Amino acid sequence: MIDALKGETLKTIRSLLLPLFALGWASPPSPGQAVDPYSGEPEWYKPGHPLEPADTAAIETLDGFSVEKVVSIPTNLGSIAAMTTDPDGNLIVAMQHQAGLYRLTPPEIGARGGSVLERMEGDAEKIGWAHGLLWAFDSLYVTVAEKNDAYRPGLYRLLDTDRDGVFDETKSLFEFQGAGEHGPHGLVVGPEGDSIYMICGNGTPRPDTIDRARTVSTSGEDHLIPPGFGDSQFTDAGWVFRFEPDGSNPELFASGLRNSYDLAFNRSGDLFTFDSDMEYDLGAPWYRPTRICHVVSGGEFGWRASASKWPEWYADSVHPVVNVGPSSPTGLVFGYDTAFPEKYRNALFALDWTYATLYAVHLEANGSSYKGEVERFASGIGLPLTDAVVCPDGALYVSVGGRRLGSAVYRIWYEGEESLVVSKPEKPSRNGASAIRRSLESLHGNADTGSLAKIWRRLGDSDRGIRYAARVALEWQPLDGWRQRAMKERNSLRRLTAFLALARQGGRDDLRLVLESIGDSRWEDWDEETLLLALRVVEIALARGGGELRTSDSFEFQSLRLLLPHTSSRVNRELARVLCYLGDASTIDPLLDLMEADKGDLSTGGLDLAGRNLKYASPLLSMAEAPPMVDRMHFAQCLNWIRDGWSIEQRRRYFQLVSEAIGSSRGGNGYVPFWQQTLDTARSNLSPDEIAALSNEWAGLEAEPALPEPEGPGRIWDLDYLVDRVGEGLEERDFENGKKMFAAANCIACHGMRGDGGLAGPDLTSLGQRFSVKDILDAIVNPSKAISDQYQTTLFTLVNGDVVSGRTLSKDSRNVVIVPNALKPAETRSISLDAISSIDPLPVSTMPPGLLNALNEEEVLDLVSYLLAGGDQGHPVFE
């Protein structure tokens, strides 16, 4: 590892702890005016001061690589959310919450200073609020994602019609109903060079203007959700679409992502993204680590709200290339045009905002898709990474900012001794499996009965990606042309894949036929992959069929009972889901045995701690000491489907196992509340006699300790005074008192710290890695200054006159799913958009002002130190 300024000695420990303060310009520069980053700035901002921002950030990267700050962005100009390069190799940067695009001309590599930052003229001066930028086809594409009074959220194309270097025409290509951090995001030119691909987050319903699709339209839950947990029945979730440069011929390409921010094509023409998940779900059965995804034609990635999420092994979902772990994905770029050693020139660079980490993902072909390894390439304090581009100088440029934080641009270049000569020609590689997949994908969106034989042959392919592409192609063909062929098929894998397509596209009679046919199968002869496919078919049929099929005798599941317990934990999970849904009381004892066997596992769901940077990964820190009982929670939730057939001893054993899990295992901030919700559902199933016999089994589980009181005396704290006071240094602070003040100021009620606390707001353990001390203080003193739409409260006025409030969890073209009670995030409510007359986000944060006012100065400083250290007693601020 090397420090951010190679060849210079790191400055004082204080400067390492207090990086990247915000700037304070009085007004934006005029168009075309260059920016002097230090002119008129307060003393604490200028170089040499202990609170100097970017240059003193402790950035670490690999040996041979160097990092330098190119420019800091005055806060009145905004906070960078997106970048691109112009034909001259300069950077164009866009701000998240403000108008005005800026051109950044960096100095030569290694030169100290000399960056030129100027406000662009013409239409580029007016537009902004952007999450995506792309220079292509002699124009600049801008994704306006934040709500404002000048431009509706959407995609705009800026043109220079008279070729004078100034954009003078703006065309609106697409308008979106979704906005904000889960709204429309990044763009990339397609591999053939004649189209653009764009990605939108799960808060962005697909507009009616995008009516062509490669994905197969379905409706229904397509999932058996354990009782007590909500569902998001209809959702496009995060989706990718392609269109021609003028916006014509838009086509939905893939969906079911959560909130991927950016896209990148490799040289073989395959598309990738970095997808997110909810960190407070860590340890829950439905949690999926953030992951690198191969975005294939017709792809469905299975993201739904909370427990409705599809596991990655579902055959009608695209599996990830590699799981990364807790992070907040932002920018994505391949290093092909860098002057890096070959290993990193071929890497996919993925940015993590929350944990201030830049990953190098090394991909290799794996059948028709890919597998990968994730390496931490660079990280540091004060690096909330937002975007990355490669410039003609061969350096990788990354921006930091977002949510009105102090913003800057850094560049990373290689000056080590390793050869930069390419060992072999860098040509696109398309193996035989990949070619087969692409051939099948050409049938997506098209009914071509002449291709049925070609499709059918590949339904039983050993390659999961090929089977997936074949099934999607089959679902585009007229159902009457292949229904009977599916029923007569003898090959198990081909037959089950066809059944999956039939269950997704057929009617109620088809569902009954599928269940009758699959019930006669020799389940014990199948391997794990085939069993999971068969169980997925059964689940979809039951989910689509509803109560009628659940209570009918269409499905003989005796052979399934004999499989439990299975050697595969995944098969056990799906057996539990199906058998418990069917009310099979004979599964109670086997599942209780499996619950007892689960003592906690960090590897389940991809949560392997090997090589993980635990310093700021709060949920993983707590899980390392008391890992979550993921399987135990899943079986406990599924058993709540079975209301009858329990003995008192079975009930007692169930509650003892749940109580043990609540008291001895840890996960994300939602982990214990999910257990409590499971416990509440189980208690609601009990008869009065059972309640009387078992009440001691859960006694005391919900008791909450009283919050401590500060000593005071307090005062109304002023931001400037606190900044000046902190500027004098944070050293030898009191850790225990800081932890006490975290509770006394009631931060712990809504925020998690190293696995403890509430989940109404974001986890704060990594706060000091991406926020400066001034940003932390500003967020506490002025909580409504920057409200993440992920935690914003919205008022929904209904057509019938009722008013409902809550945090929006997901939104699609039919429904919005909200969390009415922020303290109970697992409890959701789905509202039809047709029932809503107006939607009004509240401009006031749910976090009240004045939380520091009861604390004296020493208590405030100890609390700030505790926040900065992420609850780590070994942090230097406490030495």
Side-chain angles (χ1 to χ4, degrees):
M1 295 293 181
I2 62 172
D3 61 77
L5 301 172
K6 189 172 183 179
E8 290 190 11
T9 302
L10 288 176
K11 298 180 181 180
T12 64
I13 188 67
R14 186 181 304 159
S15 67
L16 293 176
L17 300 179
L18 309 176
L20 200 57
F21 261 47
L23 316 181
W25 270 54
S27 60
S30 302
Q33 177 184 343
V35 176
D36 176 0
Y38 297 111
S39 175
E41 295 301 334
E43 288 298 321
W44 54 260
Y45 174 73
K46 295 180 180 178
H49 189 276
L51 300 187
E52 174 196 353
D55 282 343
T56 58
I59 307 172
E60 295 181 338
T61 189
L62 304 179
D63 289 340
F65 290 90
S66 291
V67 185
E68 67 176 346
K69 185 204 71 173
V70 174
V71 70
S72 291
I73 306 298
T75 52
N76 73 296
L77 303 188
S79 190
I80 298 175
M83 300 192 297
T84 190
T85 55
D86 67 17
D88 296 326
N90 301 310
L91 290 99
I92 297 177
V93 301
M95 310 303 173
Q96 181 179 1
H97 294 289
Q98 291 180 234
L101 305 181
Y102 292 82
R103 179 177 286 108
L104 172 60
T105 304
E108 293 183 2
I109 289 177
R112 300 295 298 165
S115 294
V116 177
L117 180 69
E118 56 183 337
R119 188 180 178 94
M120 297 177 68
E121 301 179 71
D123 285 13
E125 174 194 359
K126 306 169 188 175
I127 202 166
W129 307 279
H131 285 199
L133 282 181
L134 176 66
W135 189 296
F137 307 107
D138 295 321
S139 52
L140 181 64
Y141 294 86
V142 182
T143 301
V144 174
E146 301 291 343
K147 291 184 178 180
N148 63 89
D149 295 331
Y151 295 85
R152 291 182 59 83
L155 179 63
Y156 296 83
R157 185 184 190 187
L158 276 58
L159 299 165
D160 177 8
T161 60
D162 56 11
R163 304 286 180 174
D164 65 349
V166 177
F167 293 116
D168 52 35
E169 182 178 346
T170 299
K171 293 184 177 181
S172 173
L173 301 187
F174 301 96
E175 288 190 359
F176 302 110
Q177 294 301 312
E181 293 177 10
H182 290 243
H185 297 313
L187 309 133
V188 66
V189 175
E192 305 302 328
D194 59 357
S195 63
I196 294 174
Y197 288 70
M198 181 175 180
I199 193 161
C200 295
N202 61 309
T204 314
R206 177 161 58 105
D208 294 337
T209 53
I210 306 176
D211 55 2
R212 294 178 57 237
R214 286 176 168 265
T215 60
V216 184
S217 177
T218 60
S219 63
E221 296 175 18
D222 289 343
H223 200 26
L224 298 177
I225 316 301
F229 292 87
D231 65 81
S232 52
Q233 183 170 354
F234 302 104
T235 179
D236 292 322
W239 47 279
V240 177
F241 74 111
R242 64 170 301 281
F243 53 92
E244 296 183 16
D246 62 358
S248 62
N249 298 320
E251 178 184 48
L252 181 66
F253 186 76
S255 65
L257 296 157
R258 181 178 180 256
N259 191 33
S260 302
Y261 191 82
D262 208 354
L263 296 161
F265 278 99
N266 70 359
R267 287 210 163 119
S268 296
D270 287 318
L271 185 61
F272 295 86
T273 194
F274 186 13
D275 198 24
S276 64
D277 208 321
M278 288 301 295
E279 185 176 299
Y280 65 65
D281 283 353
L282 271 165
W286 52 84
Y287 174 75
R288 305 185 311 188
T290 62
R291 53 204 196 143
I292 301 296
C293 296
H294 177 196
V295 184
V296 297
S297 169
E300 162 62 61
F301 291 85
W303 191 88
R304 303 291 188 270
S306 190
S308 303
K309 215 173 299 154
W310 294 3
E312 65 181 45
W313 54 81
Y314 277 7
D316 48 343
S317 178
V318 181
H319 62 290
V321 171
V322 60
N323 289 325
V324 177
S327 59
S328 293
T330 49
L332 201 68
V333 66
F334 275 97
Y336 295 135
D337 295 322
T338 61
F340 289 177
E342 187 172 8
K343 176 180 179 180
Y344 297 98
R345 188 164 55 248
N346 291 323
L348 175 63
F349 290 96
L351 280 62
D352 169 16
W353 186 84
T354 292
Y355 297 113
T357 300
L358 172 63
Y359 295 106
V361 183
H362 306 289
L363 301 172
E364 62 176 292
N366 182 32
S368 67
S369 188
Y370 296 84
K371 60 183 178 180
E373 293 184 358
V374 180
E375 179 183 17
R376 189 156 59 99
F377 183 79
S379 62
I381 300 173
L383 284 178
L385 296 161
T386 56
D387 206 359
V389 296
V390 179
C391 282
D393 59 9
L396 178 66
Y397 288 74
V398 296
S399 59
V400 301
R403 294 190 186 172
R404 306 185 191 277
L405 296 177
S407 192
V409 176
Y410 296 82
R411 68 176 163 198
I412 305 174
W413 76 96
Y414 186 73
E415 58 178 8
E417 299 180 357
E418 189 172 340
S419 173
L420 302 183
V421 176
V422 179
S423 62
K424 55 186 176 181
E426 297 183 15
K427 295 180 180 179
S429 174
R430 294 185 179 178
N431 58 32
S434 176
I436 294 171
R437 172 178 57 80
R438 291 171 186 272
S439 176
L440 292 164
E441 289 174 348
S442 68
L443 301 172
H444 294 176
N446 303 308
D448 182 3
T449 55
S451 299
L452 188 58
K454 169 184 173 181
I455 295 170
W456 204 265
R457 184 170 64 254
R458 296 300 177 183
L459 292 175
D461 200 281
S462 60
D463 186 291
R464 176 174 171 175
I466 291 176
R467 287 201 309 277
Y468 183 93
R471 180 191 51 78
V472 173
L474 180 64
E475 291 188 36
W476 278 106
Q477 310 312 311
L479 186 60
D480 289 341
W482 55 270
R483 176 188 284 110
Q484 290 304 313
R485 187 169 183 175
M487 292 298 173
K488 296 177 181 179
E489 177 60 53
R490 296 299 182 187
N491 178 276
S492 293
L493 196 55
R494 190 179 297 131
R495 179 169 173 253
L496 290 171
T497 305
F499 278 179
L500 180 60
L502 184 57
R504 287 168 51 91
Q505 296 301 325
R508 190 168 295 273
D509 289 341
D510 294 308
L511 298 177
R512 188 182 299 276
L513 286 172
V514 165
L515 287 176
E516 289 175 352
S517 179
I518 204 171
D520 295 333
S521 303
R522 292 180 58 85
W523 295 74
E524 65 276 11
D525 294 339
W526 291 337
D527 61 14
E528 180 192 40
E529 188 171 29
T530 308
L531 277 173
L532 289 172
L533 172 56
L535 288 166
R536 178 61 177 149
V537 174
V538 171
E539 182 188 9
I540 286 188
L542 291 173
R544 294 287 183 89
E548 178 184 337
L549 288 182
R550 182 182 185 182
T551 57
S552 74
D553 57 1
S554 299
F555 179 50
E556 174 52 55
F557 53 87
Q558 178 63 35
S559 54
L560 267 69
R561 293 192 188 111
L562 300 177
L563 294 175
L564 190 67
H566 196 270
T567 55
S568 164
S569 62
R570 293 179 172 186
V571 171
N572 283 332
R573 283 211 205 177
E574 298 311 313
L575 286 170
R577 193 188 305 274
V578 170
L579 292 172
C580 290
Y581 177 79
L582 293 170
D584 181 12
S586 69
T587 65
I588 294 175
D589 280 329
L591 291 181
L592 290 175
D593 290 341
L594 288 171
M595 286 177 63
E596 189 168 11
D598 182 12
K599 303 297 184 181
D601 184 3
L602 285 171
S603 64
T604 302
L607 300 178
D608 185 0
L609 296 188
R612 181 79 65 220
N613 176 16
L614 291 182
K615 186 173 183 180
Y616 301 101
S618 61
L620 294 184
L621 281 167
S622 63
M623 290 161 64
E625 300 172 356
M629 299 181 184
V630 182
D631 284 345
R632 187 180 295 197
M633 180 182 285
H634 176 75
F635 298 138
Q637 291 167 346
C638 289
L639 281 168
N640 282 336
W641 265 310
I642 303 175
R643 301 181 66 93
D644 302 318
W646 291 76
S647 68
I648 286 294
E649 286 308 311
Q650 286 174 329
R651 292 284 197 193
R652 178 172 287 109
R653 187 181 178 198
Y654 175 92
F655 285 113
Q656 288 173 343
L657 289 168
V658 171
S659 300
E660 177 184 304
I662 294 175
S664 64
S665 60
R666 304 288 288 277
N669 286 350
Y671 183 70
V672 171
F674 294 145
W675 271 119
Q676 288 288 168
Q677 197 161 347
T678 303
L679 181 65
D680 290 343
T681 304
R683 288 186 297 200
S684 69
N685 288 341
L686 300 178
S687 67
D689 290 341
E690 288 176 320
I691 292 175
L694 298 167
S695 59
N696 290 333
E697 305 301 337
W698 58 77
L701 284 179
E702 296 161 307
E704 295 184 3
L707 294 178
E709 295 287 339
E711 291 185 7
R715 55 172 286 187
I716 298 176
W717 290 104
D718 175 74
L719 177 61
D720 291 336
Y721 175 84
L722 289 175
V723 169
D724 289 340
R725 180 66 181 86
V726 169
E728 298 173 6
L730 291 175
E731 297 174 342
E732 300 181 9
R733 301 311 311 174
D734 187 332
F735 170 81
E736 291 298 336
N737 195 48
K739 183 177 182 179
K740 177 182 176 182
M741 291 306 104
F742 185 72
N746 212 27
C747 307
I748 199 170
C750 296
H751 297 282
M753 179 68 80
R754 299 174 74 84
D756 289 327
L759 56 154
D763 186 273
L764 300 183
T765 310
S766 64
L767 191 70
Q769 193 172 12
R770 65 183 184 270
F771 279 40
S772 71
V773 179
K774 180 177 182 294
D775 290 327
I776 293 173
L777 290 169
D778 198 5
I780 298 173
V781 175
N782 303 304
S784 296
K785 180 178 179 180
I787 306 173
S788 166
D789 57 293
Q790 184 174 344
Y791 297 99
Q792 187 169 42
T793 299
T794 301
L795 291 181
F796 300 88
T797 303
L798 306 185
V799 174
N800 64 7
D802 292 345
V803 177
V804 180
S805 66
R807 175 175 63 86
T808 300
L809 187 63
S810 64
K811 182 181 179 182
D812 57 35
S813 57
R814 305 188 191 190
N815 299 314
V816 58
V817 179
I818 68 170
V819 179
N821 185 344
L823 299 178
K824 295 183 178 181
E827 296 180 5
T828 62
R829 174 177 176 179
S830 181
I831 308 173
S832 169
L833 294 182
D834 293 337
I836 301 174
S837 63
S838 66
I839 300 176
D840 301 295
L842 292 178
V844 179
S845 172
T846 55
M847 175 177 165
L851 290 177
L852 296 179
N853 292 348
L855 280 59
N856 62 40
E857 185 168 307
E858 294 301 313
E859 290 171 330
V860 170
L861 296 179
D862 287 339
L863 172 59
V864 171
S865 300
Y866 183 74
L867 294 171
L868 182 67
D872 179 9
Q873 191 169 5
H875 195 283
V877 76
F878 298 116
E879 293 178 357

